[in-house]
């Protein structure tokens, strides 16, 4: 039974993996955190591209994955085209900031976007932004350091950075022109959702891309005739965790966010 490969620069992709496991409880997953070469969001495109291609190759060659989920907005922007070119027969799903769903939800017509510097600067994101309705105002905020603070579970730093970046957005809430919808455009930020919600207030809706990515993965596997048939519990809860960084960090995060998983293993990928 071939697993589905999922990777991110660190623990952020676990937020996508959580949605994937809910949508596909019968499947097996191999997760790679590239924490030894992170953060991606503040590195140059060539670095993120090279790392993503190396991890894609590793997942295909060493784990024979039947699909690949790039659970990182920054890596998707930098490398999804290269990954598709390198593995033309493999279903590959990326993640990008949910601008369109957010625009559809906003009543004030103002949407905030929190993402990495790399994502916001990418051609892919700029094209996505240009494709949105002119009726909606998007306020973009690069959140330097936030993914790293979440990665190291540094709660005071997460709070300080969320405070700084949400304050920079301008008025939030339901008053005319205020931001009432917030896109979490980095998979790490889902793990700061409670802090962000506290700071922004209950009226602001937070939107991430975990569920749409999971749904897209289901659809692609179904099209390829590669869904593990139900009913079967062959894959239930089967998950391998690999990291180029500290095994304990990934293991602790998985225990915290995915609730009880096995050990994480260290691996060199290059
Ligand atoms: N989790 C990644 C994303 O979705 C980026 C975090 C990082 O900067 O490494 O963009």
């Amino acid at each position: 039974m071939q697993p589905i490969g999922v990777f991110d620069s660190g623990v952020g992709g676990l937020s996508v993996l959580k949605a994937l496991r809910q949508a596909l409880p019968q499947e097996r997953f191999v997760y790679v955190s590239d924490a030894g070469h992170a953060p991606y969001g503040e590195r140059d495109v060539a670095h993120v591209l090279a790392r993503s291609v190396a991890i894609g190759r590793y997942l295909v060659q060493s784990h024979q994955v039947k699909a690949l989920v790039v659970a990182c907005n920054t890596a998707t922007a930098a490398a999804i085209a290269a990954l598709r070119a390198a593995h033309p027969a493999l279903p590959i799903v990326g993640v990008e900031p949910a601008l369109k769903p957010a625009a559809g939800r906003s009543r004030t017509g103002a949407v905030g976007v929190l993402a990495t510097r790399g994502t916001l600067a990418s051609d892919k994101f700029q094209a996505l932004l240009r494709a949105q309705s002119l009726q909606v105002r998007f306020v973009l905020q690069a959140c330097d350091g936030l993914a790293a603070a979440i990665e190291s579970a540094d709660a005071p730093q997460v709070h300080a950075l969320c405070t700084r970046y949400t304050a920079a957005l301008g008025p939030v809430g339901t008053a005319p022109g205020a931001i009432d919808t917030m896109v979490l455009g980095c998979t790490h930020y889902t793990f700061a959702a409670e802090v962000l919600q506290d700071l922004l207030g209950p009226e602001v809706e937070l939107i991430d891309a975990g569920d749409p990515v999971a749904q897209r993965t289901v659809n692609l596997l179904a099209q390829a005739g590669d869904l593990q048939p139900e009913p079967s519990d062959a894959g239930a809860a089967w998950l391998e965790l690999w990291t180029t960084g500290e095994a304990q960090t990934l293991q602790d995060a998985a225990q915290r966010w995915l609730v009880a998983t096995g050990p994480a293993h260290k691996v060199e990928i290059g």
Side-chain angles (χ1 to χ4, degrees), residues 159-185:
H159 196 276
L161 291 174
C162 286
T163 304
R164 182 196 303 168
Y165 295 134
T166 52
L169 292 164
V172 295
T174 51
I179 292 170
D180 67 349
T181 311
M182 192 68 63
V183 176
L184 305 184

Side-chain angles (χ1 to χ4, degrees), residues 76-143:
T76 299
I80 196 108
L83 286 166
R84 290 199 169 116
H87 310 282
L90 187 70
I92 300 182
V93 182
V95 54
E96 61 186 13
L99 301 191
K100 197 167 178 205
R105 304 280 306 167
S106 174
R107 301 219 174 131
T108 60
V111 170
V113 183
L114 305 176
T116 68
R117 180 169 293 282
T119 294
L120 296 179
S122 68
D123 292 344
K124 203 163 191 308
F125 178 80
Q126 290 299 323
L128 181 67
L129 190 58
R130 281 196 299 276
Q132 304 309 310
S133 158
L134 293 173
Q135 313 297 318
V136 178
R137 182 171 68 91
F138 288 94
V139 182
L140 313 180
Q141 180 62 50
C143 302

Side-chain angles (χ1 to χ4, degrees), residues 1 29 31 35-36 62 74 76 92 99 138 150 166-167 205 211 222 244 270:
M1 181 177 166
F29 293 92
Y31 183 88
S62 300
T74 315
T76 299
I92 300 182
L99 301 191
F138 288 94
I150 292 167
T166 52
E205 185 177 5
D211 289 334
T244 60

Side-chain angles (χ1 to χ4, degrees), residues 157-270:
Q157 178 71 347
V158 169
H159 196 276
L161 291 174
C162 286
T163 304
R164 182 196 303 168
Y165 295 134
T166 52
L169 292 164
V172 295
T174 51
I179 292 170
D180 67 349
T181 311
M182 192 68 63
V183 176
L184 305 184
C186 167
T187 53
H188 278 74
Y189 303 169
T190 300
F191 296 132
E194 267 181 41
V195 176
L196 290 166
Q197 194 78 69
D198 267 4
L199 290 163
L200 294 165
E203 288 159 340
V204 175
E205 185 177 5
L206 308 184
I207 297 195
D208 73 10
D211 289 334
V213 167
Q215 201 45 56
R216 175 94 184 119
T217 308
V218 172
N219 294 346
L220 281 187
L221 283 172
Q223 269 169 32
D226 242 349
L227 272 178
Q228 184 63 22
E230 286 181 81
S232 157
D233 61 358
W238 193 98
L239 168 65
E240 272 187 22
L241 298 168
W242 295 89
T243 179
T244 60
E246 293 303 319
Q248 196 65 45
T249 303
L250 179 58
Q251 199 172 305
D252 289 351
Q255 246 144 31
R256 181 158 179 212
W257 306 114
L258 299 178
V259 188
T261 58
H265 310 279
K266 184 145 171 104
V267 61
E268 296 296 331
I269 301 173

